Structures are given as C-alpha cells and as structure tokens.
C-alpha cells in the first residue's frame, strides 16, 4: 500500500512521562506505516524546556502561528517536587498557559462516545463540547478580608485623572470582598473562536451568563457575543443550518441535563472549569476526551485532556506492565491530521484520520480496551490489554477498514 503524502508539516510538540512513551508507540504503530509523516518537531519534555530556558515552548507556539496546526503531548507543569526530580533552573510555567497566551485561544473539550461506556445521563446521545473562556474573572481576582466596620468602594481612575466610584458595601462588621475584571478584547476573541468552531464542526452554539443579576459585567459578555454574531456570523450560521442560542446559566444547566447533546456550550471561565469536569465525568473518563485550542485567527492546537499519567510512568520505569489509555492522544493526532488535510486539500489524509478514529472506537466496542475503561464498561468480560497491546489491537482493526 502506498503511503499518504502531506504538503505542510504539523507542529509536533512532544511531552513527558507515560504520554511521551505512548506518543512514540502511536507514531510507530499507527502513523508512520501509513503516512509519509511531515512534522516540525519541538521537544517540550521538561528536560529540554529546562535546557532551553523554556524557549522551546515559545518557539513551538510561534511555529503554530506559521503553519496553523499543532499536535501536543501532555507535559509536566513543574511544582516543588519536580524542581528536585528534574534539577530545574526555575519553576517553568505551564506550557499550556504559555502557548495559550501566545495563541490567545479558547479550549474546546468533547467526550469521545463509545457504546458500552454509557453516560450517566441517560438521554445524552451525542457529545457535548465545552468551550471555556480562559482569561480573567475569579482567576485573576483581587480579594480582601474586611476586619470590621467600614466602607468598601470600587474606584476607576482614568489616565487623565478622571474618576468613577461605586459603593460596594457599607460594612457593619467583618466580611469579605473581591474584585474581578475582564477585557473586551479577550471576550471578543472568545466569541469569534466559538463562532468559528461551531461553523467548523457544524453544531449549534449555546452561551449563557447571569446577565439578569450582573447587569454590567455579565451583560457585557452577552452583548459582545450578540453584536459579533449579528455583524459577522448570522448569515454563515443560516447557510450552515446551525443556530446561536443565548440563555441564562441556570436555564442552560437545566436544558443541558434534558438534552440529547450534539452542541457546543460556551462558558465563562468559572462555569467552564466546573461544567467541563461535570460533563467529562458524566460521559465516562478524562482519557476519552478530545481537547483543542482554537485561536481567533484560526490556528489549531490539538492535545489530550488528561496529564502525563505519572503513576503509570513510574510503573513503566520499574519494568511493570501498564494499561494506559491512548485514545485521547490518538485523537489529538487525528484531529491535527484531519485539519491539515482540510487546509491542504488532501482528502486521503482526512479519510485516514476518520478511519483511525473509527478503529479506536470499533476496537473498544469489540471488547478490547485498557483497564480504566474495563472498570466502567457495561460490556461483559472485556479483554484488558496493556498499553502497547491496545495500540496494536487498534492497528489490527485499522488494517481491516
Ligand atoms: P493525570 O496525568 O491526568 O492522571 C491522573 C490519574 O488519572 C492517573 O493516575 C490515572 O489514574 C488516570 N488517568 C489519566 N489519564 C489516563 C489515561 N490516559 N489512561 C489511564 N488512566 C488515566 O493527572 P496528574 O497525575 O494529576 O498529573 C500528572 C502530570 O500531568 C502533572 O505533572 C501535571 O502537571 C501534568 N498535567 C498536564 C496536562 C497537560 O499537559 N495537558 C494536564 C493535566 C496535568 P490511576 O492512576 O488510578 O490509573
Ligand atoms: Mg477544574
């Protein structure tokens, strides 16, 4: 069989620990035998980030701007324990944070649905994609404990010295206060990323805030979404046969529970943090979630939603068998290859991505899976495979498609 050729390279961001091991296996077993793989390789493994003073992370994000599509392996975000484990010069920042800051994107997460791993919510038939705004609000807050009686005010001082003042509260006793902010530019980017992604995957877009209570703050989110939609996207949505739907956050939660899925749910930062954990655990497992960062300029970075699976890596190092689920990492590759194929007009590459995803799903539905899935499947007597065994089983299925 002739290998599929590529035009433009993918930006390949290698990572750490067990996912780095899976990365190699996936390339050897599932990609290189079928594709003349073209990538520009960046080693984001912690050792190389440390050796390059983290320049490699910035360079990989810049390369994503140049080529448009990247695929990223999970990486360690250093903490105190990692400082000594890897003898680090500095506690380097989260690579995902660095990349997100450069690409200014929104992260879209969707469950990979397979028969036998049923969502806890019975009526959910199709995936629900969460789009989480990744800037500001409570994540960039300023807080204060109020010791006793007194007055708290919100003061804005313009560069020309003019001021605006609002009373927060006249305290009669101790309490707490919090200041939050967001930027219209960031909200606009968030809105455009969501509208573009909805058009991309041809699904309805839902957005919700608490604008009835928060008449300035949340209402600004609502207004910006609506203005951008009316001015730039309404016609495109009509043409694609999809809708943009705004409602209150509590109404959205009630509707989500009663829906059958199959849409994108755009969430403010905090709502997205909370709701994405609810959605992923209700659908089954973090190892069965896709995750893609989409920039307002239309750059894409695909990754798995889970981490480097450190516990399994230590077992692997000790020579013990591991049964780590590679599906989310495989779907990061297929997402990136499909997007590359679409942008470069390579239907064979798009077709290969579709087939590889189908092979993953058929393998699991056929009863062969990793331990994490065997624990939650409704299938009787699933066959539990080790990390490499599972990838080889997917290859066998792939070769029959
Ligand atoms: P984790 O790597 O997601 O793993 C947590 C636990 O979830 C694992 O111990 C395992 O449970 C289960 N799990 C996750 N992925 C799995 C898979 N593919 N197959 C089977 N089981 C899976 O999170 P963590 O242990 O909190 O973090 C480890 C490192 O990852 C940290 O250094 C963190 O900084 C980094 N991290 C990176 C990213 C990213 O790059 N996107 C995201 C999150 C965390 P059992 O042990 O019970 O089998
Ligand atoms: Mg969270």
């Amino acid at each position: 069989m002739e290998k599929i050729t590529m035009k433009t390279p993918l930006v390949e961001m290698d990572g750490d620990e067990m996912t780095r091991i899976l990365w190699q296996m996936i390339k050897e077993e599932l990609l290189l035998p079928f594709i003349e793989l073209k990538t520009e390789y960046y080693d984001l493994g912690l050792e190389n980030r440390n050796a390059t003073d983290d320049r490699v992370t910035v360079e990989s994000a810049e390369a994503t701007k140049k080529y448009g599509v990247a695929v990223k392996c999970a990486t360690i975000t250093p903490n105190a324990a990692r400082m000594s484990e890897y003898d680090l010069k500095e506690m380097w920042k989260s690579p995902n944070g660095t990349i997100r800051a450069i690409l200014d994107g929104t992260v879209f997460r969707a469950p990979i649905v397979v028969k036998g791993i049923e969502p806890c919510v019975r009526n959910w038939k199709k995936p629900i994609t969460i789009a989480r705004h990744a800037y500001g609000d409570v994540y960039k807050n300023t807080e204060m404990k109020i010791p006793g009686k007194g007055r708290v005010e919100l003061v804005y001082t313009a560069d020309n010295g003019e001021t605006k003042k609002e009373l927060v509260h006249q305290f009669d006793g101790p309490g707490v206060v919090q200041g939050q902010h967001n930027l219209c530019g960031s909200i606009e980017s968030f809105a455009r990323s969501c509208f573009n992604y909805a058009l991309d995957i041809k699904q309805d877009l839902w957005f919700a805030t608490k604008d009835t209570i928060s008449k300035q703050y949340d209402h600004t989110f609502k207004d910006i979404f609506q203005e951008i939609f009316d001015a730039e996207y309404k016609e495109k949505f009509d043409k694609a046969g999809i809708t943009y739907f705004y409602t209150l956050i509590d109404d959205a939660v009630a509707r989500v529970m009663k829906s059958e899925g199959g849409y994108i749910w755009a969430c403010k930062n905090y709502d997205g943090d909370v709701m994405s954990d609810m959605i992923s655990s209700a659908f089954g497992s973090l190892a069965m979630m896709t995750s893609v960062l989409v920039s307002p300029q239309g750059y894409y970075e695909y990754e798995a939603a889970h981490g480097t699976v450190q516990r399994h890596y230590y077992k692997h190092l000790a020579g013990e068998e591991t049964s780590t689920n590679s599906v989310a990492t495989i779907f990061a590759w297929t997402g990136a290859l499909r997007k590359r194929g679409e942008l470069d007009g390579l239907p064979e590459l798009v077709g290969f991505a579709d087939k590889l995803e189908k092979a993953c799903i058929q393998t699991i539905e056929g009863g062969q899976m990793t331990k994490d899935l065997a624990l939650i499947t409704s299938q009787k007597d699933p066959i539990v495979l080790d990390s490499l065994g599972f990838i080889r089983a997917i290859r066998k299925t792939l070769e029959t498609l």
Side-chain angles (χ1 to χ4, degrees):
M1 202 181 69
E2 224 172 271
K3 287 193 197 179
I4 298 165
T5 51
M6 294 176 65
K7 280 186 193 155
T8 317
L10 279 178
V11 178
E12 176 182 354
M13 305 171 173
D14 207 345
D16 288 299
E17 299 195 310
M18 198 59 208
T19 40
R20 190 180 178 99
I21 307 287
L22 296 179
W23 196 258
Q24 208 49 46
M25 291 177 181
I26 291 167
K27 282 173 70 178
E28 272 163 25
E29 294 288 331
L30 300 176
L31 303 176
L32 294 170
F34 306 98
I35 305 173
E36 217 52 80
L37 195 64
K38 254 195 193 175
T39 72
E40 192 164 293
Y41 181 84
Y42 292 86
D43 184 0
L44 267 56
L46 186 50
E47 277 168 27
N48 193 46
R49 274 183 276 149
N50 193 51
T52 62
D53 293 336
D54 209 21
R55 269 195 319 276
V56 65
T57 308
V58 174
E59 284 164 6
S60 72
E62 294 299 340
T64 307
K65 282 185 168 176
K66 179 173 165 197
Y67 293 113
V69 187
V71 55
K72 181 179 170 293
C73 181
T75 45
I76 293 169
T77 299
N79 55 15
R82 302 296 198 168
M83 291 295 290
S84 46
E85 185 182 355
Y86 285 85
D87 193 17
L88 300 180
K89 296 183 224 169
E90 244 182 70
M91 204 184 284
W92 306 110
K93 284 197 201 138
S94 147
N96 288 341
T98 303
I99 294 166
R100 209 174 295 152
I102 293 171
L103 299 181
D104 182 23
T106 301
V107 177
F108 295 85
R109 292 201 161 165
I112 300 160
V113 179
V114 294
K115 282 192 213 93
I117 316 285
E118 314 296 346
C120 306
V121 181
R122 256 179 297 132
N123 41 288
W124 286 356
K125 302 276 184 277
K126 298 176 216 160
I128 297 167
T129 302
I130 295 268
R132 175 184 169 188
H133 186 210
Y135 180 84
D137 303 349
V138 73
Y139 302 87
K140 280 221 181 276
N141 68 0
T142 309
E143 305 183 314
M144 204 191 279
K145 283 194 178 184
I146 303 301
K149 270 190 172 183
R151 192 180 161 79
V152 175
E153 290 172 338
L154 212 53
V155 184
Y156 162 70
T157 311
D159 275 353
N160 67 9
E162 277 173 32
T163 59
K164 270 172 93 168
K165 214 184 267 186
E166 288 288 341
L167 174 70
V168 175
H169 193 66
Q170 182 74 50
F171 283 86
D172 285 331
V176 282
V177 287
Q178 180 182 68
Q180 292 187 22
H181 79 278
N182 221 300
L183 308 171
C184 292
S186 174
I187 302 168
E188 286 162 13
S189 294
F190 174 44
R192 288 201 177 88
S193 297
C194 291
F195 291 132
N196 286 338
Y197 196 70
L199 286 169
D200 220 29
I201 65 169
K202 296 209 170 39
Q203 285 187 0
D204 292 345
L205 177 69
W206 295 18
F207 182 46
T209 71
K210 195 71 179 173
D211 66 281
T212 46
I213 300 299
S214 172
K215 290 184 174 21
Q216 305 279 332
Y217 198 104
D218 277 21
H219 216 294
T220 300
F221 280 78
K222 177 185 178 181
D223 291 344
I224 287 177
F225 265 70
Q226 196 63 52
E227 280 156 22
I228 291 180
F229 178 70
D230 291 341
E232 300 169 29
Y233 291 95
K234 191 169 181 329
E235 272 175 36
K236 293 180 193 160
F237 268 52
D238 286 345
K239 236 191 222 159
I242 57 175
T243 55
Y244 167 59
F245 169 62
Y246 177 87
T247 186
L248 282 169
I249 184 69
D250 36 356
D251 181 48
V253 169
R255 285 171 188 260
V256 164
M257 296 312 283
K258 285 189 277 183
S259 77
E260 61 166 44
Y263 49 85
I264 302 161
W265 183 11
C267 291
K268 283 181 63 199
N269 211 348
Y270 175 82
D271 297 337
D273 185 354
V274 176
M275 292 306 164
S276 62
D277 279 17
M278 192 266 285
I279 298 278
S280 64
S281 55
F283 268 104
S285 148
L286 218 51
M288 296 294 285
M289 288 283 279
T290 63
S291 183
V292 55
L293 174 73
V294 182
S295 86
Q297 291 80 23
Y299 309 130
Y300 293 78
E301 184 238 298
Y302 294 84
E303 57 170 2
H306 59 78
T308 59
V309 212
Q310 182 181 14
R311 226 174 54 85
H312 295 207
Y313 180 59
Y314 290 160
K315 279 175 74 177
H316 171 81
L317 287 183
E320 287 172 48
E321 190 177 272
T322 58
S323 180
T324 316
N325 190 339
S326 46
V327 170
T329 307
I330 296 171
F331 272 62
W333 276 101
T334 53
L337 289 168
R338 180 184 296 107
K339 178 53 71 184
R340 199 62 273 166
E342 284 168 6
L343 294 174
D344 292 347
L346 298 171
E348 322 81 67
L349 197 58
V350 175
F352 175 79
D354 292 343
K355 261 194 211 170
L356 180 48
E357 290 183 359
K358 205 167 152 195
C360 292
I361 291 167
Q362 277 193 13
T363 304
I364 297 167
E365 291 182 346
Q368 302 182 85
M369 59 193 80
T370 43
K371 196 172 151 196
D372 56 314
L373 296 183
L375 289 171
I376 56 172
T377 183
S378 57
Q379 287 194 41
K380 273 195 210 114
D381 309 318
I383 301 163
V384 180
L385 299 173
D386 65 14
S387 304
L388 182 59
F390 179 60
I391 288 172
R392 289 204 168 131
I394 292 169
R395 177 165 177 180
K396 257 200 183 145
T397 314
L398 178 64
E399 283 168 343
T400 66
L401 294 175

